[in-house]
Amino acid sequence: MNDAITSFLLVYAGLFPIVNPVGGAPIFLGLTRGMAESRTGLARKVAINSFILLLASLFIGSYVLDFFGITIPVVRVAGGLVVSAFAWQLLHSGDDIDAPSASDSRAKPLTANDSFYPLTLPLTVGPGSIAVAITLGSRRPRDLAEIGDVLLVGLAAILGLAAIALTIYVCYRYAQRITGFLGQSGTNVLVRLSAFIEGSRRFDLVLRLPDSARG
């Protein structure tokens, strides 16, 4: 039982600051302005997608990467650059972030089909989250003698992922309420500040990697 509790806390505490659903809520709100009626459904889909993606990363992520010959540093670089690009675009959007500029033919409003990309991957579950999940999965206890203990620890890890997904749903579902007390101007500032911090943090992952990993 102690191993199961430790597994649950390790998964939740290890992923929460990386996924950062509280910090991602303003960005989710900014990207889904004008979609109030479908925001609840999008939040639910993002939470479910995040759970499935983290679950796959936790249990089979390392095997998939080995099969394709991909290293975790490469995943961090590619995903970090994509997130930085989205954050940069959001940072430089106009004062009205309710909808894309009509004069920009390249700007397209998000739809329910975008619940996985880009709302789940890479904006919610990015390369850092995937890397942490893979690392946690590779460090499963090896000294569990009974199959029941193994299943209990595995179930606890799954419950930890479910708790992360629930946190994502709550933060995204009530993103407007969370930021509502700031008003329109305050929300714009918070969205841009979150985008700047998120983009800088992701891009910093690239700069921290050794030259051999970048190449």
Side-chain angles (χ1 to χ4, degrees):
M1 181 60 66
N2 290 334
D3 289 332
I5 295 175
T6 300
S7 178
F8 174 86
L9 295 177
L10 183 63
V11 169
Y12 188 84
L15 286 172
F16 180 82
I18 307 299
V19 176
N20 191 17
V22 178
I27 298 179
F28 175 82
L29 178 62
L31 290 174
T32 58
R33 285 300 180 91
M35 303 174 61
E37 295 181 355
S38 59
R39 186 176 296 132
T40 300
L42 276 174
R44 181 173 61 254
K45 290 182 179 180
V46 170
I48 294 174
N49 291 338
S50 298
F51 173 78
I52 295 174
L53 186 56
L54 289 174
L55 183 66
S57 300
L58 185 71
F59 288 104
I60 64 173
S62 59
Y63 303 106
V64 172
L65 292 184
D66 289 340
F67 178 80
F68 288 101
I70 302 174
T71 63
I72 292 180
V74 171
V75 175
R76 290 165 67 99
V77 170
L81 290 176
V82 171
V83 172
S84 297
F86 276 107
W88 183 264
Q89 181 180 4
L90 183 59
L91 182 65
H92 287 274
S93 61
D95 292 335
D96 183 9
I97 60 175
D98 289 346
S101 174
S103 61
D104 189 355
S105 60
R106 298 172 300 174
K108 297 181 179 180
L110 294 179
T111 66
N113 295 327
D114 300 313
S115 60
F116 182 78
Y117 179 86
L119 292 178
T120 300
L121 178 72
L123 292 179
T124 302
V125 178
S129 304
I130 293 175
V132 170
I134 293 175
T135 301
L136 292 174
S138 65
R139 294 181 179 179
R140 293 189 294 270
R142 307 295 183 183
D143 56 349
L144 298 177
E146 299 182 3
I147 185 65
D149 293 335
V150 175
L151 294 177
L152 185 61
V153 169
L155 177 60
I158 294 174
L159 290 177
L161 296 181
I164 287 290
L166 179 61
T167 306
I168 293 172
Y169 172 76
V170 171
C171 290
Y172 284 13
R173 168 66 178 83
Y174 298 102
Q176 190 166 9
R177 294 187 181 182
I178 292 174
T179 59
F181 72 95
L182 295 175
Q184 180 67 31
S185 299
T187 300
N188 286 337
V189 171
L190 185 58
V191 167
R192 285 164 175 76
L193 182 61
S194 299
F196 174 77
I197 294 175
E198 184 69 11
S200 299
R201 184 167 66 89
R202 300 292 188 177
F203 188 71
D204 185 60
L205 293 174
V206 179
L207 300 180
R208 289 176 181 269
L209 291 174
D211 293 337
S212 58
R214 298 178 200 166

